[in-house]
Amino acid sequence: MKDRIFRVNLNTLTTSVEDVPAAWAGHGGRGLTSTIVAAEVDPTCNPLGPKNKLVFAPGLLSGTVAANSGRLSVGAKSPLTGTIKEANAGGTSAQLLARCGCKALIIEGQPQGDTWYSISINQDGASISEESELIGKGNFAVVDTLSKRFDGKRGIIAIGPAGEMKMSSANISVMDPDGGIRSNGRGGLGAVMGSKHVKFISIDPGDGKVEIANPDAFKDANRRFAKALVDHPVSQALGQYGTNVLVNIINESGGLPTRNFTQGQFDGHEKISGETMHDTIKERGGKVKHNCHAGCVIQCSQVYNDAKGNKLTSGFEYESIWAMGADCCVDNLDHIAEADQIMDDIGIDSIETSVAFGVAMEAGVLEFGDGAGVCRILKEEIGKGTALGRIIGNGAGSVGKTYGLTRVPVVKNQAIPAYDPRAIKGIGITYATSTQGADHTMGYTIATNILNVGGSCDPLSKEGQVELSRNLQIATAAIDSTGMCLFIAFAALDNAECLPALIDLINARFGINLTADDVTNLGKHILKTERGFNEKAGFTNLDDRLPEFFYTEPVPPHNVVFDFTGEEIDTFWNF
Amino acid sequence: MKDRIFRVNLNTLTTSVEDVPAAWAGHGGRGLTSTIVAAEVDPTCNPLGPKNKLVFAPGLLSGTVAANSGRLSVGAKSPLTGTIKEANAGGTSAQLLARCGCKALIIEGQPQGDTWYSISINQDGASISEESELIGKGNFAVVDTLSKRFDGKRGIIAIGPAGEMKMSSANISVMDPDGGIRSNGRGGLGAVMGSKHVKFISIDPGDGKVEIANPDAFKDANRRFAKALVDHPVSQALGQYGTNVLVNIINESGGLPTRNFTQGQFDGHEKISGETMHDTIKERGGKVKHNCHAGCVIQCSQVYNDAKGNKLTSGFEYESIWAMGADCCVDNLDHIAEADQIMDDIGIDSIETSVAFGVAMEAGVLEFGDGAGVCRILKEEIGKGTALGRIIGNGAGSVGKTYGLTRVPVVKNQAIPAYDPRAIKGIGITYATSTQGADHTMGYTIATNILNVGGSCDPLSKEGQVELSRNLQIATAAIDSTGMCLFIAFAALDNAECLPALIDLINARFGINLTADDVTNLGKHILKTERGFNEKAGFTNLDDRLPEFFYTEPVPPHNVVFDFTGEEIDTFWNF
């Protein structure tokens, strides 16, 4: 299949298939969504208005058999942050889109009336249909219904009620190989899809295949690449305990944000840890290992059953468990799992929403620790779009503003995730400087600050943190362009075989000759493209700061504050 | 009384009296609040945190017998806009503060616990007391209770429940000569006072008097000044019909924003007009004329009674009536009056709140035209701080964000007031460029665009609008420093005797020799001081823009859009 650009216009209800412009040809995934958004979206536009565009792009290697290459990037101007945004997720759709020859799907415009639509993708391009049956339905009902409607053969990308209601933390949900839900979680991209009245996208590649320029070299490189992944101890820990292996590790470091970021350790950490989760899953007959897309060799996902042995949730990740757990002081893993499942169904970012609950607890909306209350509010308020539901569904910043609080852990209005930037300073640099608001995945310094992957860097010292975050953010922007899961980074940082094998994969796929320098330059180019968009949207260095309380409230047990000056933070951009 | 700076620190619960720094000596009112905020407040601070400061300053002529000189300026970093902010109001407090020798009162810091305080001002300075009886009470109960507690002898500045709850549109209320309420309305300064746990300030000047350097010259200048005011036909119309004389005039112009800014004329305009209000007041035995402070010769206020002849509200202004009326399609003046009274009691800006209701109506929270519903929500939701109440109480931008709307009439998150910037283009330049978010009083081009005061300038043409707004914003910044009501501007623009008389008043008061150029330079200096603060807070030219829909949705009956480019708007700052 020749790669092309598929375009859907909701103003005119028309679609087109276009050749790939030369300037976009070397891009995929995040690099491509950010390039297209920067080229075609007015940075000052209203993110929920007709001028915003929603761009879907599989990575450079998606649709091939390359290990862990099934991530789907989605980009737009974010209604949560006002910045450019890319969120990526697993599931089957990246691979299926690539097999349709769809290098990127651009959804633009906005219908005038109340009618909702779906978009269908195949090798010939996109088509638009009216949709009514599924409007108002949760993601699981959407996936169930469409699996029947389409004989289970298509990939599904959908929004839940939160996206329809244009909540700022609405995510975009992607069906995984088992009919579960994976999420392009952050930045409210589901609200952009909702603003365009697109309930779901289905993908049917038929017999479409991704062409490989040099199959033998590809096969060889993939063998080396996959071996590097499975050999790394962090990959192995992720397979055994999931990402939730981090609860005990981060708690031990004193950087586990607890009770709305007032403490760095959680008394109930054992009850929600990866080890406890692992044992509970085994005891109840769930799945300890599970892959979010075909070809994953790490398998950090899992299926978590309830006490009766029925599936409660899957893809139960550390950040969600930390946020609903430690940050909200909920030490009941079943409540957290139920909340996770409801958030998947409503289609709302579990980090943003859980941190918003932490802030709401500080505001007195409900008690810290009230897991049952969280589940009730998720279902009865957020899911139904009540006033309280909308306040929380618009994220942590919304709750903080609405209740007049000052301890509101957001950067560029996006909730700070699972690592306290006072006790783990490198990640604070990432939160501050990320082009997309607070996001650990933009430059995961935890690897080096805590896990001693890629060297070591004292988390409590300022020394080396800016450089660490810079190098990781550059590498991440490149990795996010390949379709690779970010968890390849552990092997890439420690194993000298890994990155060359990845570059060989790309070269074999396209018949080109990229070097390691080219990949670094790609990462830099992407970051600068994103920052350029943000500057034209009105952002300045002054937005690259943490909230005031991180500078003034020491966090136990280390009793440290975030002590980087603005000038020190701004050196991040010296490249 | 020698002028001094009174300072109250809520961190330490201490007060001090300080000499006036030389750099502040020539300032009063807005010039002084903005100078102090720019000098002492970190522009990047959280407006509701301990680093913000709340500054009260009478004008240069306040406390004298100069006509219309009783306006009180209050400044801080605004929790609504994030910009520097000055809001001014009538009432007795500016005159009483001046008679205490208080050139400015600076309230800083933030108490740690739950205790609330009051501040008492006299000639010797400020003192702090704990307060419990009045916490949670509305402004009318506060004024009633304190009038008894203090034998009716003191000036009162207070916040209502909205300020206590730190809602972003909470105002600061100032008791008027009849125990009514005047409001420092815009920008949520009541939330700043609430964040410092100050429920009220009482002012007792005893036998304090403002010194006049040259009493004879002062008396002569005041006679000329007052004559210019009372001779102007707009002053006379304001005395007869109140500011609400504008409903029919602005409706006729096609610039009366109606149904959340989707139309420029309101079918029900006659029912809510100044003429109808005038007749209703007479019929029901209210007061057609009423002054908000001693010495006012215009008397645009009034007392509006209900059908039984009991006082329903006072200070019933055009902007409030337009906003709750045309913008919300409520054509029942009694409902609007009741809403006005409730907003005064809760202590919430009637422009911000009413425009927020218009947006909430578009969101489907209640029907357009439902005046009874508005009153119910004001009392039961906003007054009680429910989730819906907080959404609306945080202003039009909050409602728009919460419900994911795009037709949200705000600039720098402050609601656009009573003149559509598409049909009256000069005011659009003021909304865009004002240092304080959308605010008609910053540069009231309506005078020249519509009322032909100070010349004429076609409201539908772009020609001359930037210059008009610039000249008026400069003049306004200076007038706001004198303690004068802005309504002196009509006479100042048309009558060559007026401005020299005002300058003579200032010169006679202080024994100095200001010229007209000095006054213009003062205005320019204030605007640049304010803009400098905003730039350090992260604002750029890109914030000096109207919302997208004003550029894309033509407003009937003229079917025009706001068509200034960014570059054209930015020429405003060429001075």
Side-chain angles (χ1 to χ4, degrees):
Chain A
M1 293 300 310
K2 185 187 163 199
D3 285 340
R4 293 148 301 155
I5 304 296
F6 294 4
R7 194 180 292 270
V8 174
N9 186 308
L10 274 307
N11 288 336
T12 55
L13 300 178
T14 56
T15 69
S16 61
V17 175
E18 302 163 10
D19 287 340
V20 178
W24 300 358
H27 286 292
R30 173 177 166 189
L32 186 54
T33 64
S34 288
T35 297
I36 294 175
V37 171
E40 297 201 352
V41 175
D42 175 354
T44 66
C45 78
N46 188 315
L48 298 178
K51 294 183 177 179
N52 202 2
K53 302 192 181 190
L54 188 65
V55 184
F56 296 76
L60 291 167
L61 292 167
S62 299
T64 73
V65 298
N68 289 57
S69 64
R71 303 289 290 190
L72 175 69
S73 288
V74 186
K77 175 169 176 171
S78 161
L80 182 72
T81 63
T83 65
I84 200 166
K85 174 62 65 178
E86 182 262 7
N88 67 66
T92 64
S93 286
Q95 295 164 328
L96 299 177
L97 272 175
R99 287 175 50 204
C100 289
C102 178
K103 189 167 176 74
L105 166 66
I106 304 173
I107 303 180
E108 60 192 27
Q110 194 163 57
Q112 292 294 311
D114 294 331
T115 306
W116 282 81
Y117 300 93
S118 72
I119 294 170
S120 173
I121 305 287
N122 61 26
Q123 292 183 38
D124 298 325
S127 57
I128 304 171
S129 305
E130 291 192 10
E131 176 62 36
S132 56
E133 180 186 357
L134 291 174
I135 305 312
K137 295 290 194 298
N139 279 315
F140 292 108
V142 170
V143 164
D144 284 353
T145 302
L146 294 182
S147 294
K148 288 169 198 151
R149 200 188 285 180
F150 301 134
D151 293 334
K153 288 180 183 161
R154 299 194 192 178
I156 303 293
I157 301 169
I159 56 170
E164 293 183 35
M165 292 188 280
K166 295 181 278 187
M167 291 181 182
S168 299
S169 41
N171 60 26
I172 292 179
S173 301
V174 185
M175 190 173 70
D176 77 12
D178 299 314
I181 296 293
R182 315 300 306 186
S183 308
N184 298 77
R186 308 221 65 189
L189 297 178
V192 179
M193 190 155 150
S195 77
K196 299 191 181 304
H197 276 208
V198 175
K199 177 66 178 175
F200 70 87
I201 302 163
S202 69
I203 305 148
D204 179 8
D207 60 358
K209 286 208 164 40
V210 168
E211 288 169 18
I212 307 291
N214 189 340
D216 290 339
F218 193 91
K219 199 171 166 190
D220 175 66
N222 193 33
R223 187 186 47 73
R224 287 180 279 128
F225 180 66
K227 182 171 186 327
L229 297 189
V230 297
D231 281 353
H232 196 276
V234 171
S235 301
Q236 292 163 5
L238 287 170
Q240 185 166 16
Y241 298 115
T243 56
N244 200 28
V245 67
L246 286 167
V247 161
N248 282 341
I249 296 170
I250 304 301
N251 188 71
E252 180 66 22
S253 82
L256 187 76
T258 299
R259 192 175 273 268
N260 191 31
F261 284 77
T262 57
Q263 301 159 21
Q265 292 184 319
F266 178 44
D267 284 345
H269 68 96
E270 282 293 0
K271 294 189 183 171
I272 65 167
S273 70
E275 292 81 349
T276 299
M277 185 169 96
H278 172 269
D279 294 348
T280 307
I281 290 173
K282 284 201 125 174
E283 190 183 303
R284 295 177 177 177
K287 284 188 192 174
V288 168
K289 283 187 174 196
H290 178 252
N291 56 316
C292 78
H293 64 275
C296 172
V297 297
I298 295 177
Q299 303 193 66
C300 70
S301 181
Q302 58 293 107
V303 175
Y304 182 94
N305 288 348
D306 64 18
K308 293 178 184 165
N310 298 316
K311 176 178 167 182
L312 190 48
T313 195
S314 66
F316 195 25
E317 296 203 54
Y318 165 64
E319 274 75 18
S320 313
I321 294 167
W322 152 74
M324 199 56 85
D327 197 48
C328 293
C329 297
V330 174
D331 63 5
N332 180 321
L333 205 50
D334 287 348
H335 279 155
I336 302 173
E338 185 185 348
D340 190 60
Q341 174 79 351
I342 302 168
M343 289 188 280
D344 279 350
D345 197 41
I346 296 172
I348 199 158
D349 178 25
S350 58
I351 298 177
E352 189 68 45
T353 307
S354 304
V355 175
F357 268 105
V359 179
M361 287 170 175
E362 177 158 327
V365 171
L366 71 172
E367 295 287 317
F368 277 103
D370 184 4
V374 165
C375 293
R376 184 189 57 73
I377 289 175
L378 281 168
K379 265 195 268 197
E380 301 300 322
E381 308 271 358
I382 301 181
K384 294 180 179 171
T386 66
L388 177 61
R390 286 178 185 271
I391 291 168
I392 300 176
N394 280 304
S398 161
V399 177
K401 282 222 173 76
T402 304
Y403 288 93
L405 302 181
T406 53
R407 192 181 295 109
V408 187
V410 297
V411 179
K412 300 185 179 77
N413 201 42
Q414 183 164 283
I416 291 181
Y419 315 90
D420 196 295
R422 292 163 289 194
I424 309 175
K425 293 188 192 293
I427 200 72
I429 296 295
T430 295
Y431 297 156
T433 56
S434 153
T435 52
Q436 312 196 15
D439 187 336
H440 61 294
T441 69
M442 290 285 134
Y444 191 67
T445 72
I446 308 307
T448 312
N449 282 151
I450 302 293
L451 305 177
N452 294 327
V453 171
S456 65
C457 183
D458 178 1
L460 293 168
S461 160
K462 288 160 73 175
E463 185 73 28
Q465 307 294 0
V466 172
E467 191 182 4
L468 175 64
S469 177
R470 184 195 297 128
N471 290 340
L472 288 171
Q473 289 199 51
I474 291 168
T476 300
I479 291 172
D480 286 343
S481 299
T482 60
M484 288 292 163
C485 168
L486 187 56
F487 289 166
I488 70 156
F490 301 111
L493 285 164
D494 279 342
N495 184 335
E497 304 288 317
C498 182
L499 192 60
L502 175 58
I503 295 171
D504 289 346
L505 277 168
I506 298 170
N507 286 335
R509 155 87 166 91
F510 294 100
I512 55 177
N513 288 293
L514 289 183
T515 65
D517 278 353
D518 292 331
V519 173
T520 302
N521 287 333
L522 174 68
K524 290 179 180 175
H525 178 77
I526 293 167
L527 291 184
K528 289 189 172 175
T529 298
E530 292 171 347
R531 184 161 170 89
F533 180 94
N534 293 346
E535 286 172 346
K536 288 181 200 152
F539 287 84
T540 72
N541 286 0
L542 293 174
D543 296 296
D544 291 353
R545 303 291 181 264
L546 300 191
E548 192 171 308
F549 78 94
F550 286 110
Y551 298 89
T552 57
E553 294 183 10
V555 66
H558 299 295
N559 296 314
V560 285
V561 298
F562 188 75
D563 50 0
F564 284 91
T565 66
E567 291 70 22
E568 287 168 343
I569 294 171
D570 294 342
T571 63
F572 174 88
W573 287 102
N574 294 346
F575 65 87
Chain B
M1 293 300 309
K2 185 187 163 200
D3 285 339
R4 294 148 302 156
I5 304 296
F6 294 4
R7 194 181 292 269
V8 174
N9 186 309
L10 275 306
N11 287 337
T12 55
L13 299 178
T14 56
T15 69
S16 61
V17 175
E18 302 164 11
D19 287 340
V20 178
W24 300 358
H27 286 293
R30 172 177 167 189
L32 186 54
T33 63
S34 288
T35 297
I36 294 175
V37 171
E40 297 200 354
V41 175
D42 175 354
T44 66
C45 77
N46 188 314
L48 299 178
K51 294 182 177 179
N52 202 3
K53 302 192 181 190
L54 188 66
V55 183
F56 296 77
L60 291 167
L61 292 167
S62 298
T64 73
V65 298
N68 289 56
S69 64
R71 302 289 291 190
L72 175 69
S73 288
V74 186
K77 176 170 176 171
S78 161
L80 182 72
T81 64
T83 65
I84 200 166
K85 173 63 64 177
E86 182 262 8
N88 66 66
T92 63
S93 287
Q95 294 164 330
L96 299 177
L97 272 176
R99 287 175 49 204
C100 289
C102 178
K103 189 167 176 74
L105 167 65
I106 303 173
I107 302 180
E108 60 192 27
Q110 194 164 58
Q112 292 294 311
D114 294 331
T115 306
W116 282 82
Y117 300 93
S118 71
I119 295 170
S120 173
I121 304 286
N122 62 26
Q123 292 183 37
D124 299 324
S127 58
I128 305 171
S129 305
E130 290 192 10
E131 176 63 36
S132 56
E133 180 187 357
L134 291 174
I135 306 311
K137 296 288 195 298
N139 279 314
F140 291 108
V142 170
V143 164
D144 284 353
T145 302
L146 294 182
S147 294
K148 288 169 198 152
R149 201 189 283 181
F150 300 136
D151 293 334
K153 288 180 183 160
R154 299 195 192 178
I156 303 293
I157 302 169
I159 56 170
E164 292 183 36
M165 293 187 279
K166 295 182 277 188
M167 291 180 181
S168 298
S169 43
N171 61 26
I172 292 178
S173 301
V174 185
M175 189 173 71
D176 79 11
D178 299 314
I181 296 293
R182 314 300 306 187
S183 308
N184 298 78
R186 308 221 65 189
L189 296 177
V192 179
M193 190 155 151
S195 78
K196 299 191 180 306
H197 275 207
V198 175
K199 177 66 178 176
F200 71 87
I201 302 163
S202 69
I203 305 149
D204 178 8
D207 60 358
K209 287 210 162 41
V210 168
E211 287 169 20
I212 306 291
N214 189 340
D216 289 340
F218 193 89
K219 197 172 165 188
D220 175 65
N222 192 34
R223 189 187 46 73
R224 285 180 282 128
F225 180 67
K227 181 170 187 326
L229 297 189
V230 297
D231 281 353
H232 196 276
V234 171
S235 301
Q236 292 162 4
L238 287 170
Q240 185 166 16
Y241 298 115
T243 55
N244 200 28
V245 66
L246 286 167
V247 161
N248 282 342
I249 295 170
I250 305 301
N251 188 70
E252 180 65 23
S253 81
L256 187 77
T258 299
R259 192 174 273 267
N260 191 32
F261 284 77
T262 57
Q263 301 160 21
Q265 291 183 321
F266 178 43
D267 284 344
H269 67 95
E270 281 293 1
K271 293 189 184 173
I272 65 167
S273 70
E275 293 81 348
T276 300
M277 184 169 96
H278 172 270
D279 295 348
T280 306
I281 289 174
K282 283 202 127 173
E283 190 182 302
R284 294 177 177 178
K287 284 189 191 172
V288 169
K289 284 188 174 198
H290 179 251
N291 56 316
C292 79
H293 64 276
C296 171
V297 298
I298 295 177
Q299 302 192 68
C300 70
S301 182
Q302 58 294 106
V303 175
Y304 181 95
N305 288 349
D306 65 17
K308 293 178 185 165
N310 298 315
K311 176 177 167 182
L312 190 48
T313 195
S314 65
F316 196 25
E317 296 202 56
Y318 165 64
E319 274 75 19
S320 314
I321 294 167
W322 152 74
M324 199 56 86
D327 197 47
C328 293
C329 298
V330 174
D331 63 5
N332 179 321
L333 204 51
D334 287 349
H335 279 155
I336 302 173
E338 185 185 348
D340 189 60
Q341 173 79 351
I342 301 169
M343 289 188 280
D344 279 350
D345 197 41
I346 296 172
I348 199 158
D349 178 24
S350 58
I351 298 176
E352 190 69 45
T353 307
S354 304
V355 175
F357 268 105
V359 179
M361 287 170 174
E362 177 157 328
V365 171
L366 71 172
E367 295 287 316
F368 277 103
D370 183 4
V374 165
C375 292
R376 184 189 57 73
I377 289 175
L378 280 168
K379 266 196 267 196
E380 300 301 323
E381 307 272 357
I382 302 181
K384 294 181 179 170
T386 66
L388 177 61
R390 285 178 184 271
I391 292 168
I392 299 176
N394 280 304
S398 161
V399 177
K401 281 220 173 76
T402 304
Y403 289 93
L405 302 181
T406 52
R407 192 181 295 110
V408 188
V410 297
V411 179
K412 300 184 179 78
N413 201 43
Q414 183 165 283
I416 291 181
Y419 315 90
D420 196 296
R422 291 163 290 193
I424 310 176
K425 294 187 192 293
I427 202 71
I429 297 295
T430 295
Y431 297 155
T433 57
S434 154
T435 53
Q436 312 196 16
D439 186 336
H440 59 296
T441 70
M442 290 284 135
Y444 191 66
T445 71
I446 308 307
T448 311
N449 282 152
I450 302 292
L451 305 177
N452 295 327
V453 171
S456 65
C457 183
D458 178 2
L460 294 168
S461 160
K462 287 161 72 174
E463 186 74 28
Q465 307 294 0
V466 172
E467 191 182 5
L468 175 64
S469 176
R470 184 195 297 129
N471 291 340
L472 289 171
Q473 289 198 52
I474 291 168
T476 301
I479 291 172
D480 286 343
S481 300
T482 60
M484 288 292 162
C485 168
L486 187 55
F487 290 165
I488 71 157
F490 301 111
L493 285 165
D494 278 342
N495 183 335
E497 303 287 318
C498 182
L499 192 59
L502 175 58
I503 295 171
D504 289 346
L505 278 167
I506 298 170
N507 287 336
R509 155 87 166 91
F510 294 100
I512 55 178
N513 288 294
L514 290 183
T515 64
D517 279 353
D518 292 331
V519 173
T520 302
N521 287 333
L522 175 67
K524 290 179 179 176
H525 177 78
I526 294 167
L527 291 184
K528 289 188 173 176
T529 298
E530 292 171 346
R531 184 160 171 89
F533 180 94
N534 292 346
E535 285 172 346
K536 288 181 200 152
F539 287 85
T540 72
N541 286 359
L542 293 175
D543 296 297
D544 292 352
R545 303 290 180 264
L546 300 192
E548 193 171 308
F549 77 93
F550 286 110
Y551 298 89
T552 57
E553 293 183 10
V555 66
H558 297 295
N559 295 315
V560 283
V561 297
F562 188 74
D563 51 359
F564 283 91
T565 65
E567 291 70 22
E568 287 168 343
I569 294 171
D570 294 342
T571 63
F572 175 89
W573 288 101
N574 295 346
F575 64 87

